[in-house]
Amino acid sequence: MDVGIVFGSSGIRGIANKRVTSELAVSVGLAVGSRCNSAVIGRDPRTASEMVEYALVSGLTACGCDVTRIGLVSTPTLSYAARNYDCGVMVTASHNPAEYVGIKLWNRDGTAFNSDQQEEIESIIDQEGSYPIYRGDRVGWDTIGRISNDDRAILDHKDAILSRFNEVDCRVVVDCGSGAGATITPYVLREMGCDVITLNAQPDGFFPARNPEPIESNLTLLMDAVRTFKADLGIAHDGDADRMMAVDKNGRYITGDELLALFAIKEAKKVAVYPVDVSRMVDDVIMCDVHRTRVGDVYVAEELKRIRGDFGGESSGSWIFPRISYCPDGIYAAAQLVAIASQESIADQIAQFPKYYIMRGASACEEGDDIMSPITEELSALNYTQITTIDGIRLDFEEGWLLVRKSGTEPKIRITAEARDKETAEGLYYRADTIVRRHTRC
Ligand code: MG
């Protein structure tokens, strides 16, 4: 089988009817159905999601798998529902632009299918011309899977979150970005006692209001609305609401590292888990041990499960609360953030965090080149206090740290440097950059 016909670097994801076709979805459905007796399936509001869902259902049932449909839901709702089935199937392209669609597979405990599980699915799908073809068996006419609908999945997820929080007093603006978060987050926050003002709360696969990725440049409407309505907080989701970012009462975008610190203080009693690129500020303000991982929420979830940690997250907006699931849960995160904000202003809490200056950049390199070895060798000769090689190379010094790692998605070497002031961070950055540039020739 050609590499990558099914799973790419972001799972199964691509432009609808180009990379992700109904043929691919039928084949994936057949392959998953041949390994599972029961599956629950949900979808985000993208224009192709329902088409892909029907193709998946057809494949799943043709291999004898019973399928329960829960309709338009957030990814955390689907993965929470997966606890009652052999697997969960979510049709979503997460935060990607509107023309994308994707499929993500989930285990009962809310972990995504790992690389071994993905390889098993790929191993029974071949490519014939430009079409993927399932090579396994199908069941006889009398054992074709049954299809049912369950309209309680959102309520179950909502109740599971609400049972963990007390009543709050908070005015909050929620920007659902026309995504699946509109089916749950405003309702959860209202039941907690919040005065909720919604933006873009009509799911729409064209994402007419904003790009689904909840980065600062996409959230100007939310920032304005928080100030206009004198809210305590603004919440924003990506297209499938596994991610959540926020703005404070002044309309200022709260960084991912600041959110990570706020959640870790509240949730992590023993161990917090986060990637190697997170700010030293978080280490400074939390009281528990830290386990660092490769960059990517899948690695954070794996490590959390392995060590039975309390909380983990990634600065891009993925927050994992193992007490509910190993799937990043933007809805639970929104509930926890309003609970934190109702006790003390988020802006005041963040003002007490130590300040660091962080610098990020990248250098293009040749595809497939193993240039990290000579770069690592040269960086290792520097006079550091600690070295970490979980993902690329991170060197800690008294005055700050730097990280040099190969991008997982582009032919680039990424450099991050952080220190208490700009000059020191720049100094660290350019030390690494000089070495990286010597080895990248494009
Ligand atoms: Mg997402």
Side-chain angles (χ1 to χ4, degrees), residues 94-95 238 240-243:
S94 189
H95 57 275
D238 69 334
D240 61 333
D242 59 340
R243 282 166 65 169

Side-chain angles (χ1 to χ4, degrees), residues 26 30 59 62-64 133-140 143:
V26 169
L30 287 160
C63 280
I133 303 286
Y134 167 71
R135 292 296 181 202
D137 296 328
R138 298 165 199 230
V139 297
T143 47

Side-chain angles (χ1 to χ4, degrees), residues 139-151:
V139 297
W141 67 272
D142 51 349
T143 47
I144 286 168
R146 288 166 300 182
I147 302 169
S148 58
N149 297 300
D150 176 8
D151 55 13

Side-chain angles (χ1 to χ4, degrees), residues 211-395:
N211 180 301
E213 192 168 14
I215 53 176
E216 185 170 6
S217 56
N218 292 333
L219 301 180
T220 47
L221 182 65
L222 176 64
M223 294 172 194
D224 289 345
V226 166
R227 285 187 288 258
T228 304
F229 291 105
K230 297 191 176 7
D232 299 299
L233 198 62
I235 298 283
H237 287 308
D238 69 334
D240 61 333
D242 59 340
R243 282 166 65 169
M244 186 225 66
M245 293 301 283
V247 304
D248 70 15
K249 64 179 179 187
N250 305 313
R252 175 188 162 270
Y253 185 78
I254 305 171
T255 69
D257 286 339
E258 289 164 348
L259 282 173
L260 184 54
L262 289 166
F263 288 136
I265 290 167
K266 196 77 183 172
E267 293 270 346
K269 303 294 175 233
K270 291 176 299 188
V271 187
V273 176
Y274 45 80
V276 286
D277 65 345
V278 165
S279 170
R280 197 179 267 185
M281 175 275 288
V282 183
D283 304 344
D284 292 350
V285 300
I286 64 174
M287 306 300 280
C288 64
D289 289 342
V290 175
H291 280 229
R292 289 192 178 262
T293 68
R294 291 179 64 186
V295 175
D297 59 55
V298 173
Y299 304 113
V300 175
E302 274 176 7
E303 182 67 1
L304 271 173
K305 191 175 165 187
R306 192 182 71 78
I307 64 162
R308 296 171 185 269
D310 299 302
F311 166 75
E314 196 187 43
S315 314
S316 61
S318 299
W319 319 113
I320 303 173
F321 307 92
R323 64 173 69 189
I324 186 161
S325 164
Y326 286 105
C327 171
D329 192 329
I331 300 103
Y332 184 106
Q336 180 61 274
L337 198 64
V338 297
I340 294 170
S342 71
Q343 288 173 343
E344 186 190 346
S345 141
I346 298 275
D348 293 350
Q349 292 183 58
I350 290 172
Q352 293 162 31
F353 292 169
K355 296 287 170 277
Y356 284 89
Y357 185 84
I358 199 155
M359 207 173 152
R360 292 193 168 94
S363 221
C365 64
E366 296 282 354
E367 194 99 47
D369 253 9
D370 181 26
I371 57 167
M372 275 310 289
S373 301
I375 290 172
T376 303
E377 199 176 316
E378 212 170 317
L379 284 166
S380 305
L382 299 177
N383 195 17
Y384 54 81
T385 55
Q386 194 184 338
I387 181 166
T388 313
T389 53
I390 300 164
D391 193 350
I393 175 169
R394 172 172 162 145
L395 299 176

Side-chain angles (χ1 to χ4, degrees), residues 63-83:
C63 280
C65 178
D66 291 335
V67 179
T68 301
R69 301 176 62 219
I70 61 172
L72 173 58
V73 292
S74 71
T75 291
T77 301
L78 182 282
S79 67
Y80 186 68
R83 73 196 183 287

